[in-house]
Amino acid sequence: MDASVRVKPKKYKKSYNPEQVVFGLIKYLILCLFGFIAVLPIISCVITAFKTNAEYQETNVMTPPKSWLNFHNFVDAFTKANMGRAFINSFIVMVVVLVVSVIIGSQLAFVLNRFKFPGNKLIRNLFFLASLLPAVATQVTVYSIMSKLGFINHLYGYIIMMCGTDVISIYLFIQFMENIPVSLDESAIMDGASYWTIYWKIILPLLKPAIVTSCILKGVSVYNEYYCANLYLQTPDVKTLAVSLYTFVGPMGSQYNLICAGVIISFIPALIVFILFQKQIYSGIAAGAVKG
């Protein structure tokens, strides 16, 4: 046989038995059902945002509005709730909190992972114990401290409180740092590098996937945080985005069409960030979740 003649391999069709077909069908139906349940509140929110007050009171939440060009609700929500100022406040809080949390969390993880000293395990256990305590249970003490320090109704006071060490990020950094070989540190020390140089130029760049994952978890939490913001930021000029939406809730009733319009407005920046950086977000989450 001529060597130039190549024999094409036979293609075998994968066969499915009836049980696999039924199981696969049920699996995809369940996934579609849960996906529809997750999207249903968003659909309802979009429909309600375009309704007038009369339409909202007289129709069902899933009934489409008479006009999809009713942008008056969005204008009212943005102006009456002072969402422009609230956007700036939320952006400042989120950026500062993320930067401080990543720096403090990664440095603490570097110390706990790379240095073995008496009390190392005790510190880890204390952080684990702190993660088990409900945040609401400590608010009386925290509010007393914030009041005595004069941090109430000040954006910098709220930022300092939110910069509290994130236990989840610390453990995420520690787990990811265990995959970075110690030989890199030893080689850098032999070349005359200090521990700060090792952390800043070797460890921190290699922690990029874990940092992305931590920023997503922390950023979403800070951006949507309502309880503490409503408790410590009560004057209009320091309110965050989540608190500004509470403007349309009152004892005489709630204007849910304006609330839904405000929710969509607050959702747009997060959607834009996700669309622009979805590749980095997915790669960061995937790399941060893999160990070994």
Side-chain angles (χ1 to χ4, degrees), residues 210-232:
I211 291 174
V212 172
T213 306
S214 174
C215 287
I216 293 172
L217 298 175
K218 187 74 174 179
V220 172
S221 175
V222 173
Y223 188 74
N224 296 325
E225 204 282 323
Y226 170 77
Y227 178 80
C228 292
N230 186 51
L231 185 63
Y232 299 109

Side-chain angles (χ1 to χ4, degrees), residues 78-283:
F78 191 85
T79 55
K80 292 182 180 180
N82 196 16
M83 296 187 68
R85 181 62 186 176
F87 264 120
I88 297 175
N89 293 338
S90 295
F91 179 78
I92 293 174
V93 171
M94 186 173 64
V95 171
V96 175
V97 169
L98 288 182
V99 172
V100 175
S101 298
V102 168
I103 293 177
I104 294 178
S106 59
Q107 288 180 352
L108 182 56
F110 176 68
V111 173
L112 293 177
N113 180 261
R114 287 300 197 255
F115 299 94
K116 305 302 178 183
F117 54 89
N120 186 307
K121 187 175 181 181
L122 176 62
I123 295 175
R124 296 194 186 199
N125 292 334
L126 289 176
F127 277 115
F128 178 74
L129 180 63
S131 65
L132 299 178
L133 295 175
V136 179
T138 61
Q139 285 305 317
V140 175
T141 305
V142 175
Y143 188 88
S144 177
I145 296 174
M146 293 279 288
S147 179
K148 292 179 180 179
L149 293 176
F151 287 168
I152 305 296
N153 290 328
H154 292 288
L155 203 61
Y156 62 84
Y158 177 72
I159 291 175
I160 293 174
M161 188 199 66
M162 293 300 295
C163 285
T165 307
D166 190 358
V167 180
I168 297 178
S169 297
I170 292 175
Y171 279 104
L172 182 64
F173 291 143
I174 291 176
Q175 292 296 323
F176 196 87
M177 206 174 294
E178 290 179 353
N179 300 322
I180 302 177
V182 185
S183 58
L184 293 177
D185 303 12
E186 297 173 348
S187 300
I189 292 174
M190 293 179 63
D191 292 336
S194 62
Y195 287 117
W196 171 255
T197 304
I198 295 172
Y199 161 77
W200 189 254
K201 294 187 176 181
I202 298 178
I203 300 298
L204 196 61
L206 294 176
L207 285 178
K208 182 180 177 181
I211 291 174
V212 172
T213 306
S214 174
C215 287
I216 293 172
L217 298 175
K218 187 74 174 179
V220 172
S221 175
V222 173
Y223 188 74
N224 296 325
E225 204 282 323
Y226 170 77
Y227 178 80
C228 292
N230 186 51
L231 185 63
Y232 299 109
L233 303 176
Q234 300 174 359
T235 54
D237 58 330
V238 295
K239 286 185 177 181
T240 58
L241 196 59
V243 180
S244 67
L245 297 177
Y246 200 72
T247 305
F248 307 109
V249 178
M252 302 302 294
S254 302
Q255 298 175 284
Y256 286 104
N257 54 339
L258 297 182
I259 293 175
C260 291
V263 169
I264 294 176
I265 294 174
S266 65
F267 177 72
I268 291 175
L271 181 62
I272 294 175
V273 172
F274 175 78
I275 293 175
L276 294 178
F277 301 101
Q278 57 179 327
K279 183 178 179 181
Q280 290 82 356
I281 291 174
Y282 284 137
S283 61

Side-chain angles (χ1 to χ4, degrees), residues 57-75:
Q57 295 174 2
E58 297 173 359
T59 60
N60 187 277
V61 291
M62 297 304 295
T63 302
K66 294 180 180 180
S67 175
W68 288 99
L69 300 177
N70 182 25
F71 295 101
H72 188 69
N73 291 339
F74 296 91
V75 176

